[in-house]
Amino acid sequence: MPDLKQEMADVAAAIERLETQAAAPATPPAPGKVRLRHPHTGDIKEVDAVPEKLIPIMGLGYQQVKE
Amino acid sequence: MPARIQQLVLGLGANKQTAIGTAGTTFLRFKKLDTTLTTPKPIFENDAAEIGKQHEFITATFPSHYDVANRLEKYASAEFVTWATAYALGNATVTGSSAPYTYTIVPIDPGTTIELPYFSLVEQVAEGGGSAVDNLYVGCAIEDFTYQFNYGPGRSSSKMTVNWVGSGKLTTPSGITVPALTVENNMLAASMSLTVNGVDYVATKRILSGSIGWKNNLLLNAGFYPGSGLQNGLQIRGRMEIGARVPTFQFTARLLSGSTEYTTLINQTTGTATLSVNHDANNSVSFSFPKMAFQVVENAEADGIVAVTVTGAPQYDTVSNTVLSITTKCGINTIAQ
């Protein structure tokens, strides 16, 4: 029972950390760059904001991160 | 008092919906050429074919589902082509801190998702101080688009046609205040540049007409899954997934002695195909097939001049990881975002 209580406390703390991170203002990408994120893996790439650089990454399913 | 079709106020969702059943709140108002009004068509079944009634006639009807679909035929403006291609291909990135904004658009990766972004669409026709039509269609997706260009003067030299499908979810009256007409920047075919497999068809004054198309072959029946939802007792779709998508490219050019189309076909040579049109430096569209072979080459005739019609076979390119990419510039930064 104490283990279960500790587990629940850990989960609650993890959720709180995630919520804090989500609420924190994201650092904008460097000038002339766009941030793309893979919706499944969560991998983030910062790419030059020009179509020839964006297309190969977007073709793999990466989507623009709204800053 | 009857209403005229010119009364139509057409609003297309700018921002994508957050879910198929959640209406969009931002709209772009467009003019169009076709005179079709969308009908929220309820489909009913009957028992005519069932035996045991002692006759072949209907004795009862049963609600089935909503069928919502329509088309949009327009002169090709940078704004509308951006809207259509962003929702049809599904993965759009917008860059730029002020107008003109640049859109980079590629097909969604089916390993990531098989659902396109959904948009809302509103149609309103004022009549007699009220509305003859005031419908908001929620959860719509694009089935196909065709960009067509032709020789000849005027805006009809460059057109865009879209077929869209709705989930069936409907709000009447819409409760939407549609903004003023979008200022559109039409792109005439006279602005075109076209290079296919290393041949510049504009510099040689050979190109006559052609089209670029994309069809999603949406899995419409699969949208009516157990639990997809009901409206007025009729089933509505809870998803619209892409089927086997098909890009198309066809063009007709004047045939010269040094024309290479037939050789390209026989050798199955591949190369890039890029078609660009613009209104000005701030409003433009560029379609790019990274790897194009020819599938059919047929001799033809246009205005008594010998020509050749080429049907392309776009191939998936493992360098750019796509079969088609579209780059546009326009003054709107909310499309499919």
Side-chain angles (χ1 to χ4, degrees), chain A residues 34 39-40 56 60 62 64 66, chain B residues 91 94-95 104 109 112 321 337:
Chain A
V34 175
H40 288 178
L60 297 174
Y62 283 75
Q64 184 173 20
K66 292 294 162 194
Chain B
N91 190 359
V94 61
T95 54
T104 304
D109 169 31
T112 306
N321 298 319
Q337 298 303 300

Side-chain angles (χ1 to χ4, degrees), chain A residues 33-36 38-40 49-52 54-64 66, chain B residues 91-95 102-107 109 111-113 316 319-322 325 327 337:
Chain A
K33 300 272 188 180
V34 175
R35 203 167 280 157
L36 300 174
H38 196 279
H40 288 178
V50 291
E52 53 270 31
L54 292 168
I55 288 164
I57 310 295
M58 291 172 64
L60 297 174
Y62 283 75
Q63 297 166 359
Q64 184 173 20
K66 292 294 162 194
Chain B
N91 190 359
T93 291
V94 61
T95 54
T102 300
Y103 285 83
T104 304
I105 302 164
V106 299
D109 169 31
T112 306
T113 180
Y316 185 88
V319 176
S320 55
N321 298 319
T322 190
S325 64
T327 306
Q337 298 303 300

Side-chain angles (χ1 to χ4, degrees), chain B:
Chain B
M1 188 174 79
R4 294 179 58 82
I5 192 67
Q6 284 89 349
Q7 286 292 128
L8 174 67
V9 171
L10 172 68
L12 307 180
N15 288 100
K16 63 185 174 188
Q17 296 184 186
T18 54
I20 188 170
T22 307
T25 54
T26 56
F27 290 87
L28 297 167
R29 182 177 167 189
F30 284 109
K31 296 175 278 186
K32 67 171 190 169
L33 293 169
D34 66 277
T35 56
T36 58
L37 283 172
T38 309
T39 304
K41 203 187 312 177
I43 306 295
F44 291 87
E45 300 177 57
N46 63 59
D47 64 351
E50 292 175 47
I51 62 170
K53 300 183 271 103
Q54 296 181 302
H55 56 74
E56 67 274 40
F57 304 114
I58 298 170
T59 64
T61 59
F62 309 92
S64 174
H65 63 280
Y66 269 102
D67 190 8
V68 173
N70 204 355
R71 62 195 283 262
L72 301 164
E73 185 184 331
K74 283 181 56 59
Y75 296 127
S77 66
E79 294 77 10
F80 182 68
V81 175
T82 300
W83 181 88
T85 55
Y87 276 108
L89 269 58
N91 190 359
T93 291
V94 61
T95 54
S97 53
S98 60
Y101 302 97
T102 300
Y103 285 83
T104 304
I105 302 164
V106 299
I108 54 172
D109 169 31
T112 306
T113 180
I114 55 173
E115 282 185 87
L116 293 164
Y118 297 106
F119 59 90
S120 302
L121 186 148
V122 60
E123 285 183 346
Q124 299 170 334
V125 177
E127 187 276 321
S131 293
V133 173
D134 185 7
N135 293 326
L136 173 66
Y137 300 97
V138 179
C140 306
I142 290 183
E143 168 64 11
D144 62 66
F145 75 74
T146 306
Y147 171 73
Q148 266 187 302
F149 63 91
N150 282 290
Y151 66 94
R155 292 176 296 165
S156 61
S157 65
S158 179
K159 289 168 72 173
M160 187 77 166
T161 304
V162 167
N163 286 295
W164 61 271
V165 183
S167 65
K169 189 167 182 180
L170 171 76
T171 304
T172 307
S174 68
I176 301 294
T177 304
V178 182
L181 275 168
T182 303
V183 177
E184 294 187 74
N185 292 279
N186 290 296
M187 304 172 296
L188 307 184
S191 70
M192 181 177 291
S193 62
L194 175 66
T195 302
V196 184
N197 276 337
V199 177
D200 185 337
Y201 283 91
V202 171
T204 51
K205 300 183 182 178
R206 293 179 55 202
I207 189 66
L208 295 169
S209 60
S211 65
I212 288 175
W214 182 267
K215 188 168 176 58
N216 282 312
N217 284 311
L218 295 169
L219 304 175
L220 297 176
N221 279 344
F224 298 116
Y225 58 85
S228 65
L230 296 162
Q231 180 176 260
N232 302 325
L234 295 122
Q235 200 169 353
I236 58 174
R237 293 186 180 93
R239 65 187 173 208
M240 280 189 280
E241 296 158 330
I242 54 167
R245 296 165 293 176
V246 182
T248 55
F249 178 52
Q250 190 177 65
F251 66 93
T252 299
R254 289 181 167 186
L255 186 62
L256 305 180
S257 67
S259 294
T260 56
E261 289 77 21
Y262 193 69
T263 309
T264 302
L265 171 71
I266 291 295
N267 294 336
Q268 282 296 285
T269 311
T270 59
T272 58
T274 302
L275 183 156
S276 303
V277 281
N278 70 73
H279 175 83
D280 55 27
N282 296 334
N283 298 279
S284 61
V285 172
S286 182
F287 300 87
S288 183
F289 295 96
K291 196 173 182 184
M292 174 74 70
F294 289 172
Q295 180 145 2
V296 179
V297 172
E298 285 181 307
N299 292 334
E301 169 277 331
D303 280 347
I305 304 290
V306 177
V308 60
T309 296
V310 175
T311 302
Q315 298 181 10
Y316 185 88
D317 176 48
T318 53
V319 176
S320 55
N321 298 319
T322 190
V323 68
L324 168 66
S325 64
I326 299 167
T327 306
T328 76
K329 275 187 188 177
C330 70
I332 302 166
N333 66 350
T334 54
I335 295 171
Q337 298 303 300

